[in-house]
Amino acid sequence: MAEWYQISLQDASSPLMEEMIYFHDHAFMIIILITIITMYALSIAVTNKFTNKKLLEGQEIETAWTTIPAIILIFIALPSLRLLYLTDETINPAMTIKAVGHQWYWSYGYSDLENVEFDSYMLPQEELKKGDLRLLEVDNRLVLPYLTPVRVLITSADVLHAWTIPSMGVKLDAVPGRLNQAMMMTTRPGLFYGQCSELCGANHSFMPIVLESTSTKAFESWLSNM
């Protein structure tokens, strides 16, 4: 999860988030290069003392400052389009999870399994144990096996919500009367935190999301105790 001093992205816990970080670094390096070249050109323009009062046009430089930005945009657009299609790619999921937003908690259901449904409320501060995170811990975590493709169907029972886990690269609106779909797969075990990212009322800040990624054996053990 993110720390208070962190200015970079969270560590990726899914292949999709890894691709997003790669694209971020790619675009950021291009932006740095453009900034350096622009600052250098401005400094040259300000410090030189040459003038040409009869200069009316410069075909060469006009061609350069039209062609070069177009090429740069291509180098940004192609990886961006690839990533856009990756976010919408649908593969055969091993299981389907339904997440429903309420004011102000989440409810989950395992569509492939009977009678596995539960609500997930934020734990109040007086119920936190040592090491728990304030405003982020819940009474019932969403448990999934890692290295398993999972489809998440997201909707809302009342107002607009948004189901978001930054380290998974997932942020999808929960719209009343509509099902939105996301594919995800955790690459490692652990706890991954998220929150509702759409202003949904007075307790909007108090409906966190906790995804617990475990081994298949531990997941089956958890199911047997439900």
Side-chain angles (χ1 to χ4, degrees):
M1 61 165 292
E3 301 291 345
W4 64 269
Y5 55 82
Q6 185 173 333
I7 60 174
S8 60
L9 299 172
Q10 295 186 29
D11 292 338
S13 56
S14 71
L16 180 59
M17 188 58 186
E18 291 176 2
E19 293 292 334
M20 289 182 178
I21 292 176
Y22 293 151
F23 176 71
H24 167 271
D25 296 342
H26 169 75
F28 196 64
M29 291 304 297
I30 293 177
I31 292 171
I32 291 175
L33 179 62
I34 292 172
T35 302
I36 292 174
I37 294 175
T38 303
M39 295 302 295
Y40 174 75
L42 285 174
S43 64
I44 294 298
V46 170
T47 56
N48 83 79
K49 299 180 180 179
F50 300 104
T51 59
N52 187 348
K53 296 180 180 180
K54 297 182 180 180
L55 181 64
L56 298 178
E57 64 179 18
Q59 294 290 341
E60 293 82 4
I61 194 171
E62 288 175 4
T63 301
W65 72 40
T66 303
T67 305
I68 294 175
I71 295 173
I72 293 174
L73 287 176
I74 291 173
F75 275 95
I76 295 176
L78 292 180
S80 176
L81 289 173
R82 174 179 174 273
L83 182 58
L84 183 64
Y85 280 101
L86 282 176
T87 58
D88 289 333
E89 184 179 5
T90 302
I91 58 177
N92 294 326
M95 67 175 63
T96 299
I97 306 299
K98 186 175 181 180
V100 183
H102 303 265
Q103 290 181 310
W104 289 271
Y105 64 96
W106 295 97
S107 60
Y108 299 103
Y110 290 71
S111 301
D112 304 313
L113 306 171
E114 294 184 3
N115 302 322
V116 183
E117 295 182 352
F118 54 88
D119 297 329
S120 180
Y121 289 86
M122 185 193 74
L123 282 178
Q125 187 168 347
E126 57 271 13
E127 295 183 16
L128 294 177
K129 300 176 183 178
K130 185 176 181 181
D132 287 347
L133 301 174
R134 189 175 70 89
L135 302 182
L136 286 177
E137 295 294 343
V138 296
D139 55 356
N140 292 307
R141 297 168 177 168
L142 175 64
V143 181
L144 295 174
Y146 64 90
L147 297 179
T148 302
V150 177
R151 174 172 57 189
V152 184
L153 300 177
I154 301 168
T155 188
S156 172
D158 36 52
V159 299
L160 290 176
H161 300 278
W163 199 79
T164 307
I165 302 180
S167 63
M168 296 289 297
V170 176
K171 182 180 185 293
L172 211 60
D173 288 337
V175 183
R178 175 177 176 178
L179 281 177
N180 285 330
Q181 174 180 277
M183 295 296 300
M184 63 180 188
M185 181 177 68
T186 57
T187 55
R188 54 191 171 91
L191 293 178
F192 308 109
Y193 294 89
Q195 288 178 307
C196 177
S197 299
E198 183 75 37
L199 187 59
C200 57
N203 290 334
H204 158 69
S205 301
F206 305 109
M207 48 185 303
I209 301 161
V210 182
L211 169 61
E212 182 177 352
S213 177
T214 65
S215 65
T216 303
K217 185 176 181 179
F219 175 70
E220 292 173 350
S221 176
W222 174 80
L223 283 178
S224 64
N225 295 323
M226 289 296 292

